[in-house]
Amino acid sequence: MLFDTVILSGTVVTENEVYEADLGIKDGKVVTISEPGTLQSGKAKVIDAKGLHIFPGLIDVHVHFNEPGRDQWEGLETGSKSLAAGGVTTFFDMPLNSNPPTTTKERFEEKRQLADEKSVVDYRLWGGLVPNNLEHLADLHEEGAIGFKAFMSECGTDDFQHADNGTLLKGMEKIAELNSILALHAESNEMINYLTDKAKKEHRLSIRDYCNSRPVLSELEAVERVLSYAELTGCKLHIVHVSSKRVIDRITEAKQQGIDVTAETCPHYLALSIADFEEIGATAKCAPPLRDQEEVEQLWDSLKNGDIDIISSDHSPSPPELKEQGESIFDVWGGIAGCQNTLHVLLTEGYHKRGVPLSKIAEVTALQPAKRFGLNPTKGSIRIGSDADITLVNLNEEFVLKKEDLKYRHKISPYVGKTFIGKTKYTFSKGKCVFEDVPNKASV
Ligand SMILES: [Zn+2]
């Protein structure tokens, strides 16, 4: 058989095993998986993967590339190149903070054209659920929206309104009818506003005060409410960026009660604590906020126990000015830029430090996202016939993340200066090499 690319003698990581093999890629698909050292390369591009691990390309279900409208914050080209450098081969772009947001068919089409033109990896798009766009949900679904996103608390920009309870209920009824899925930013708006006003009035404006103004309880209250709405409407839910095991546990309990719900967390909740936030400053501000180290360790337990379905980045960048303006940490832009380093965080903090199996990492970054959103078996695991979405990693290579390594529009990330163990060497998206760390290693 004639291949476009062959990857020789690498160690393939799947959700249930790790084994050595040669891979043959043709027309963007994995067409052969054979015993190591047996594949004839012919005229194909040859990658010598001896000593490298081959992961299924990551699927990042949660990024904000902000195009159109706020591409001075990031953009589809810089964003997708960052993903390629981190082994991510598919992203789902959130309906905000593009401006206008992706809440109608026309805006969806506009973003799709831009993504086709600019993205170096594969992608899907979320639609938005906001007050007064119920009549657009069916169109968005028909256009191919991977699901819908709503906020239960204010999102930080005026152009994407958070969903009040009535909007949520009606939206969920509609989304259930479409057999789609609702992703929720679940924090209690009332609790946050109450605690924020109180903190400001009492001049408690430190980083810890900010974190305390968005407590785990606020996540719990919102999740509880929306779980009951899910039971009522039958709407499938995906709870994004959960920061605490307490919330994960409630979601696990709901699953056992028959509610169709999945839980996502982000690398920053696993890698960074409030102490790090205090040291790094505004670059590490996000919502829900970072938690104490004890919570961080508990979240790792949830991951090991299989209670976390998906790990995605919630890449939410901004220009540097927005991280500097404002009277206190309460007023600066909240959002962490980190999508280039999801796998690096999981390998360093998970596999090397805490003994998280490689298969578990492949499961939560590729297989489960693909399954949850209907992309499996085309994506999510390395098998014959699947898209050749692949990333090759040297598990033991250490590197210190430097600003200039970042492909983001703005070279800002809380991980700058951090030592990672496990380096991305190559990334293939549908068989095309979209990132290469060692140019001399590949021959044509
Ligand atoms: Zn987000």
Side-chain angles (χ1 to χ4, degrees), residues 10 16 58 90 92 101 114 129 134 173-174 189 194 209 261 281 305 323 385-386 437:
N16 38 38
L58 281 73
T90 306
F92 299 175
L114 288 166
L129 167 65
L134 287 174
E173 184 184 33
K174 186 76 205 164
N189 204 43
Y194 163 71
D209 292 325
V261 55
N305 293 341
K323 286 290 191 187
S386 68
D437 184 51

Side-chain angles (χ1 to χ4, degrees), residues 248-321:
I248 298 285
D249 286 349
R250 179 63 191 96
I251 294 170
T252 304
E253 196 183 289
K255 286 175 187 166
Q256 286 155 1
Q257 292 161 347
I259 295 175
D260 192 346
V261 55
T262 41
E264 165 194 304
T265 193
C266 310
H268 41 267
Y269 299 114
L270 293 163
L272 302 169
S273 65
I274 297 178
D276 295 311
F277 186 6
E278 288 173 326
E279 209 181 299
I280 297 166
T283 301
K285 181 185 175 185
C286 58
L290 297 173
R291 305 294 182 197
D292 279 318
Q293 192 60 35
E294 202 187 336
E295 290 271 11
V296 173
E297 295 306 329
Q298 287 177 4
L299 210 52
W300 281 109
D301 292 339
S302 296
L303 178 69
K304 288 183 188 170
N305 293 341
D307 293 337
I308 293 174
D309 301 284
I310 291 174
I311 295 182
S312 282
S313 68
D314 189 11
H315 180 69
S316 183
S318 73
E321 312 84 81

